[in-house]
Structure formats: C-alpha cells, structure tokens
Amino acid sequence: MQIISEPREMQRLCASWRCGRETIGFVPTMGALHAGHLELARRAKRENQRMITSIFVNPAQFGPREDLERYPQPFERDTQQLADLGCDAVFAPTKDTMYGAADFLHGTWVDVTPFDEMWEGVTRPGHLRGVATIVTKLFNICSPTRAYFGEKDFQQLRVVESLVRDLNFGVKIVPCETVREPDGLAMSSRNAYLSPEERKSATVIFRAMKAGKALAQSGETSVAKIGAAMDEVFAQEPALQQQYVTIVDAETLTPLRELDGQSARILVAAHLGKTRLIDNLAL
Ligand code: PAF
C-alpha cells in the first residue's frame, strides 16, 4: 500500500488507473478509523478494482472552539488496518499542501445552499463549507469512480450529493448504513472522548430514536407526538444536552409536521459533557 502526501503524486497515480480503465473506490476519512470506516473500505474494495482512502484532519471544517487540537490521530494503526483490507493507496496530505502555508493562499470555497443554513450549518457555522471544499478538492485529486459516505453524517451526505450534482462531478456517491455498537450507539471517532459514565448515557440517543420510530410504525403521523415520545426517553438522561432533535424530509431536510408517506428522518445533535454527538434514523 502506498502512502502519498503530495496532491500531484496522488493525482498522477489515480489518473493512471483511470486511464487503464480501472475503477477507483474512495473512502475519505479524518483517520481514527472505527468499524464504520472499515465497513466503507471493505465495500469500496469489493465494488472497485482499486480502493483508496484519504486521512486528513481538515481544519476548515472545525470551528474555533471545537476539537481540532485533540482530534485523535493514530496514523500507524489506521494505515495498518487499511493495508490489511487491501487498500491500494492512502492520501495523507499536510494542511499546508491542501490550503497553502498562509490563509490568503486559499480563497476558493464551496457553499452548498440551502443545507448550510440548517441544522449542522447553523450549529456549526462554516463546518459544511469546510466539508464541501475539502471533498471537492479530494475528488479532483483522487478522481474516484465511486465514493463511500456513512449515513451517520446524514446532512454531510446530502451536501456531498448536491455538490456532485451541481458541479457535475463524474463520481457515484454510495451512501452506507450507520454501523452501531451492540447497544445502539453509532460508531464515531468522537466516542473515544466519552467517559465510562457518558458512554452509558450516550445510548439514550438510539433508544429515543427507536421509540420515535416505533410510534411512527404504529401509525402515529403527528411529528409533535413522536417528538414528545422521544423527549420522554431523553428525559431519562439529564446529562445529555440536546442541540436539536427534529424530524425532517429525508431529501430536503426541511422539518415536517405530519408524516404522510414521504421518506422522513429523525436527526439528533447533542452534547454529553464536552463531546458533541450526532445521529439519525430513517422513519
Ligand atoms: O466524514 C468525515 O470524516 C469528514 O467530514 C470528511 C468527509 C472526510 C471530510 O473531511
């Protein structure tokens, strides 16, 4: 497995594969790989002739008071796991090669409206712009045939699908189901921040979403009533501070008042101590 830090070198390698008519499956990551990432990598490996990943903790998608400095970076372990899965190349650039050594060297940003004006876009200003910009750059460097994204970051998935459509990228976005711990907690690199006590409390997110889904499946269509049922479960864990809990149209992410057969999604963002967790579930 090659580990490449120079964008031009990665671009050349990927272009040579595409010229040879090989398909490339791409899994963009920020490292600190967990079972969810590895599942994306396995699928990319199965469905393409080449499988590549990127490991880059993208500063542009972190706010000033967020966890950029403490974001885990077990690079050796990550690359070993990828090599074991048969990854062909890991693109691991530095901040300076991606954004220039001074802020003014990078003046081009990708904004995906209206998604950047809702949910994660509001609670983490600039985050989705950072994601959309780095994903655009990575697609240009890696020229993937298919790119694999976990549904755990549901709004990110919608942003990436939109930018691919709007900017005419020739890549197929493959959404992959969220991988969960046995107790339902969605796999996330940020789970490592949770104390044992917080880790136990975090399971309330999945329990609450499941309660909402069960009520919807029993025929309830009022979003207010489904929200109230979820709130009852959330109340069991006062340590969890909700940021937003909402039921939205799964395509547009606009809030719903009634379920009427459209595809709907519960979205949750919450804090447990200093850790921010997000999750979602299809209704
Ligand atoms: O989901 C992530 O890990 C990141 O947002 C991504 C897509 C790798 C962009 O930095």
Side-chain angles (χ1 to χ4, degrees), residues 28-30 37 54 56 58 61 71 127 131 134-135 138 149 153 156:
T29 82
M30 298 203 300
H37 292 116
S54 60
F56 179 59
N58 173 33
Q61 69 187 75
Y71 200 85
H127 167 68
V131 169
I134 196 67
V135 168
L138 290 169
F149 287 83
D153 295 292
Q156 166 172 286

Side-chain angles (χ1 to χ4, degrees), residues 43-62:
R43 182 157 177 200
K45 178 80 186 167
R46 266 199 318 274
E47 296 180 353
N48 301 277
Q49 282 144 326
R50 299 284 179 177
M51 186 264 275
I52 60 173
T53 65
S54 60
I55 296 181
F56 179 59
V57 183
N58 173 33
Q61 69 187 75
F62 287 78

Side-chain angles (χ1 to χ4, degrees), residues 2 4 10-24 49-52 87-89 142:
Q2 304 186 52
I4 296 174
M10 188 71 185
Q11 211 158 27
R12 270 197 296 271
L13 178 67
C14 295
S16 73
W17 286 334
R18 293 299 297 262
C19 281
R21 300 200 170 282
E22 291 186 282
T23 54
I24 300 177
Q49 282 144 326
R50 299 284 179 177
M51 186 264 275
I52 60 173
C87 180
D88 291 282
C142 300

